[in-house]
Amino acid sequence: MIRNLSLITLALASHLSHANVEYTLSITEPEHHLGQVEVSFPKTAQSYIDVQLPDWRTGRYEILNMANGIRFFSASSLTGQALNWHKIDKNTWRIHLNKPTEVVVSYQVYANELGLRSRHIDDTHAFIDASGFFMFSDSFRQEPVKVNLEVPSEWRSVSGMDFADSKHSFKANNYDVLLDSPIETGINQLYKYSVDGRDYELVIWGEGNYDVELMIRDLKKLVKTGSSIWHDYPYERYVFMVHATSGARGATEHLNSTIIQRHRDKFASRDDYIGFISTAAHEFIHIWNVKNYRPDGLVPYDYVDINYSDLLWLVEGSTSYLENYLLLSAGITTNQEFYKSLTNTLNRHLKTPGREVQSVAHTSYDKWINQAGDHGKNFSTNIYLEGALVSMALDIDLIDKTDGKMSYRDVHSELYKQHKLPHSYNSGDVKRILKEISGHDYSQWWSVHIDSPALIDFDALFLKVGLEHVYPADTVIVASFDGTAKNTGQLLELTHVARGGSAWQAGLTSGDKIVAVNKHHVRKDLPHTLALFEPKQTVEVDFIRRDKLMTTKLKLGGQGSRSKVVRPVYSPTPRQAKLYKAWLGVTHPNAR
């Protein structure tokens, strides 16, 4: 009997050892951005299995069509016998089986999409997001996975995943973890440090004008701030990946790491450095917000279809809002730098006519199809900008209603406590939490600010916490087209015409090339051209459309020669000073 139990145990162990899905990526022709992938799936008795490459990647709510880089697909048994297959759609390969079989698929991948942060191979590195490289089968999505890399000997491989058998192999509990754990392999710099018993790594690919000592110093400050919102840290090790590049820019959050891309010369100045550390703060917040609690529609992820949610503003916009709080409370940025960031966000919002058309709930749901450009600016908004401002409005309202005892940070803390994955939350859950922590029903507030275009009274809002949004003292009113233009040499091409503004009413549109205003040839930019005229003056505009010279009459608008700025009131009341401290965690600069 003991012998039989031993045999059963051995058989079970053998079955489990063969249950892994194993990936091998060989860097074959890096100068041509090519690699070869082999995937082995466990034995299955199904009549067929479908293997798929994701149609999008987490953190970017957009269909990316990543299967377009796949060539030379083949399927075989473990013994090398060819298996019949055919494609059933653009990113699904169906493999037919006549008997229980372990399936091995092989294909070439073209990896030259650095800016999408999905896949990139060159002669110095490979950035590997599984969504761009590694096919999966729903039949084995929850099985353990292993990744083997065949790369040049001088390369170093780094990931938030644990190492497996070598310095170029990694393991994960399942495909979902693999998909959210990118790998940076290549010629890079690696720095390791610990904060409060947790391990961190900073890996940098590419040369640039960055200051590693400063980056690590501030990252150490940043990661200590998580406890100011959430009750625990959902990781023991975290990796900051940085690409110092020539063109790609942006960042993506992941389960145990982030990838940040910046131009190699955009680290040294204070403004550029704040851009970097703000991005790091944004992605750090995502460790909780979306990676450990996320709304209905995103749980579980469907990698081959659109994942709809009317709460993407809370996922991204709230994160954009809270990043500045973390930086200020950590002492990484100053009050003045906080005001400058808030000023930029608010002024962009006020110059986006789409804010009067589309609610944050609507833009969240339509994130997958919303377009940028002139029409997008006039008729849409975005989850980052609008989401950050409604988050701020909700935060200040909460602080005001509870006399500084509760804030928006408490909402996120409760979402993490009550709706941690694999659970999800919806708008009703958020409103319930708001009522629980404040004692107030936020249904009407939600209807006005979330489900409708948020027409926020920022003057009244800021006064509650001792701020104001005003023009600098030396501002004058100057003539305006109510639009923007770029210099194309001898002409100014309109890039945006604000809906309802002076250029819009005159029938001008983006793409029109301005030749002259009142027979004065255009100057180097629109403000210099319009400096010759007065606000409200009616002028004649010569422009080119469809290669034809045309003329229209236009009544000029007026705008401030300088933009409004957010700044602290000179003499805050005791209540304003109190709520400011409750809001930002620091003392009002003019408090007495």
Side-chain angles (χ1 to χ4, degrees):
M1 182 175 178
I2 293 174
R3 181 174 179 274
N4 289 340
L5 286 173
S6 298
L7 289 173
I8 293 170
T9 303
L10 182 62
L12 286 173
S14 175
H15 171 74
L16 290 174
S17 68
H18 288 294
N20 288 18
V21 177
E22 189 159 337
Y23 297 89
T24 299
L25 169 63
S26 304
I27 307 298
T28 54
E29 298 179 81
E31 66 277 12
H32 298 301
H33 315 292
L34 294 174
Q36 186 71 22
V37 175
E38 183 176 278
V39 190
S40 62
F41 293 101
K43 181 178 288 188
T44 177
Q46 299 171 206
S47 60
Y48 68 84
I49 66 167
D50 290 339
V51 296
Q52 301 175 289
L53 198 68
D55 231 3
W56 65 287
R57 63 157 179 76
T58 63
R60 189 182 184 107
Y61 306 101
E62 174 186 349
I63 296 298
L64 297 178
N65 293 321
M66 289 182 287
N68 61 9
I70 304 301
R71 296 292 184 273
F72 307 117
F73 180 92
S74 67
S76 66
S77 68
L78 191 62
T79 59
Q81 180 181 359
L83 300 173
N84 292 327
W85 62 270
H86 71 284
K87 289 190 75 171
I88 62 173
D89 59 39
K90 63 184 173 63
N91 61 316
T92 306
W93 291 256
R94 177 162 291 174
I95 303 168
H96 299 275
L97 308 173
N98 296 321
K99 60 182 179 179
T101 306
E102 294 180 55
V103 177
V104 178
V105 302
S106 177
Y107 50 90
Q108 182 194 79
V109 61
Y110 175 66
N112 193 24
E113 294 180 341
L114 183 64
L116 293 179
R117 294 177 293 286
S118 58
R119 59 179 180 229
H120 189 254
I121 296 172
D122 68 15
D123 57 335
T124 65
H125 92 135
F127 177 71
I128 305 162
D129 186 300
S131 62
F133 283 90
F134 299 141
M135 294 183 186
F136 73 101
S137 171
D138 263 336
S139 301
F140 304 107
R141 180 169 162 177
Q142 297 307 316
E143 299 299 323
V145 300
K146 179 182 173 184
V147 177
N148 303 304
L149 305 178
E150 295 181 357
V151 298
S153 59
E154 68 272 21
W155 283 19
R156 172 169 38 217
S157 299
V158 182
S159 176
M161 291 182 287
D162 291 334
F163 284 109
D165 303 329
S166 74
K167 64 180 182 179
H168 296 300
S169 68
F170 299 93
K171 59 184 178 180
N173 289 339
N174 52 52
Y175 184 80
D176 294 270
V177 174
L178 171 63
L179 199 79
D180 233 342
S181 307
I183 302 168
E184 174 61 35
T185 181
I187 300 168
N188 53 55
Q189 302 174 56
L190 178 63
Y191 306 89
K192 298 182 179 182
Y193 55 95
S194 297
V195 179
D196 295 337
R198 285 172 288 275
D199 295 327
Y200 297 89
E201 296 177 18
L202 170 64
V203 57
I204 306 175
W205 168 69
E207 298 178 353
N209 61 0
Y210 44 78
D211 180 339
V212 172
E213 185 177 331
L214 175 63
M215 293 164 74
I216 293 176
R217 185 193 74 191
D218 283 345
L219 288 174
K220 285 181 176 180
K221 292 180 182 178
L222 172 64
V223 298
K224 291 175 73 70
T225 62
S227 58
S228 66
I229 301 178
W230 301 279
H231 63 279
D232 66 25
Y233 284 70
Y235 63 88
E236 294 298 325
R237 177 173 161 269
Y238 190 83
V239 180
F240 291 95
M241 300 177 180
V242 176
H243 288 168
T245 73
S246 297
R249 59 181 298 273
T252 301
E253 71 276 5
H254 288 285
L255 184 64
N256 44 38
S257 57
T258 181
I259 171 63
I260 300 171
Q261 295 176 327
R262 292 185 67 81
H263 191 282
R264 63 183 76 255
D265 297 326
K266 293 291 187 179
F267 290 89
S269 74
R270 182 62 181 171
D271 282 348
D272 285 342
Y273 179 72
I274 289 177
F276 161 75
I277 200 65
S278 296
T279 302
H282 183 101
E283 308 311 326
F284 176 66
I285 291 168
H286 273 314
I287 298 167
W288 292 271
N289 185 15
V290 85
K291 292 307 171 187
N292 275 279
Y293 58 92
R294 58 179 183 253
D296 291 352
L298 300 181
V299 182
Y301 285 136
D302 183 341
Y303 301 127
V304 294
D305 203 355
I306 291 176
N307 293 222
Y308 290 106
S309 171
D310 60 1
L311 288 166
L312 285 182
W313 68 268
L314 195 150
V315 170
E316 293 292 352
S318 293
T319 301
S320 294
Y321 170 64
L322 291 171
E323 73 188 50
N324 290 316
Y325 166 79
L326 292 192
L327 293 174
L328 183 64
S329 63
I332 296 172
T333 56
T334 65
N335 273 301
Q336 290 302 321
E337 288 166 337
F338 174 83
Y339 304 147
K340 183 177 180 179
S341 177
L342 182 53
T343 292
N344 291 338
T345 300
L346 181 53
N347 288 344
R348 280 177 54 215
H349 162 81
L350 294 174
K351 292 177 181 178
T352 304
R355 75 184 190 280
E356 302 169 341
V357 175
Q358 194 173 58
S359 70
V360 288
H362 186 180
T363 195
S364 293
Y365 200 84
D366 279 1
K367 173 66 180 70
W368 298 83
I369 62 171
N370 268 351
Q371 57 183 318
D374 185 61
H375 180 267
K377 196 169 184 179
N378 277 322
F379 292 95
S380 307
T381 182
N382 72 74
I383 56 176
Y384 297 87
L385 174 64
E386 203 74 0
L389 290 174
V390 297
S391 294
M392 179 185 69
L394 180 52
D395 195 9
I396 294 176
D397 191 79
L398 267 172
I399 290 168
D400 181 44
K401 280 185 168 67
T402 63
D403 196 31
K405 294 182 179 66
M406 291 292 170
S407 74
Y408 193 47
R409 301 187 296 279
D410 296 293
V411 175
H412 281 267
S413 177
E414 288 303 314
L415 284 172
Y416 181 49
K417 289 177 183 176
Q418 300 182 29
H419 298 279
K420 190 174 182 178
L421 291 175
H423 305 291
S424 62
Y425 64 88
N426 56 37
S427 58
D429 294 316
V430 182
K431 285 182 274 189
R432 173 182 51 76
I433 289 171
L434 285 166
K435 187 171 184 179
E436 287 174 356
I437 67 174
S438 72
H440 294 270
D441 187 344
Y442 269 83
S443 298
Q444 181 61 25
W445 190 99
W446 196 274
S447 176
V448 171
H449 294 87
I450 306 301
D451 293 331
S452 306
L455 304 179
I456 300 168
D457 184 346
F458 289 102
D459 291 331
L461 189 72
F462 285 148
L463 275 178
K464 293 179 179 180
V465 289
L467 296 182
E468 58 186 2
H469 185 227
V470 295
Y471 284 112
D474 57 351
T475 303
V476 297
I477 303 300
V478 296
S480 169
F481 257 30
D482 297 324
T484 57
K486 64 180 180 181
N487 190 309
T488 60
Q490 295 296 314
L491 306 172
L492 295 178
E493 181 179 335
L494 292 175
T495 54
H496 171 59
V497 174
R499 178 175 49 81
S502 56
W504 178 283
Q505 293 181 28
L508 293 171
T509 190
S510 61
D512 287 344
K513 299 176 177 65
I514 308 302
V515 179
V517 180
N518 272 6
K519 305 308 177 185
H520 290 272
H521 184 257
V522 294
R523 302 172 73 181
K524 67 178 183 179
D525 57 35
L526 203 50
H528 279 82
T529 297
L530 298 182
L532 300 170
F533 308 100
E534 297 295 325
K536 309 302 181 184
Q537 181 179 347
T538 298
V539 296
E540 186 176 79
V541 179
D542 296 318
F543 64 99
I544 294 174
R545 180 186 294 172
R546 296 186 298 273
D547 296 325
K548 181 180 179 180
L549 184 64
M550 305 174 72
T551 301
T552 189
K553 296 283 187 181
L554 183 152
K555 184 177 181 180
L556 292 168
Q559 66 179 27
S561 57
R562 299 180 63 186
S563 297
K564 282 185 172 183
V565 297
V566 175
R567 66 187 186 190
V569 298
Y570 178 71
S571 183
T573 66
R575 178 171 174 77
Q576 286 175 322
K578 175 184 177 180
L579 296 190
Y580 183 98
K581 180 71 177 289
W583 178 39
L584 297 180
V586 296
T587 302
H588 191 289
N590 296 330
R592 290 175 171 78

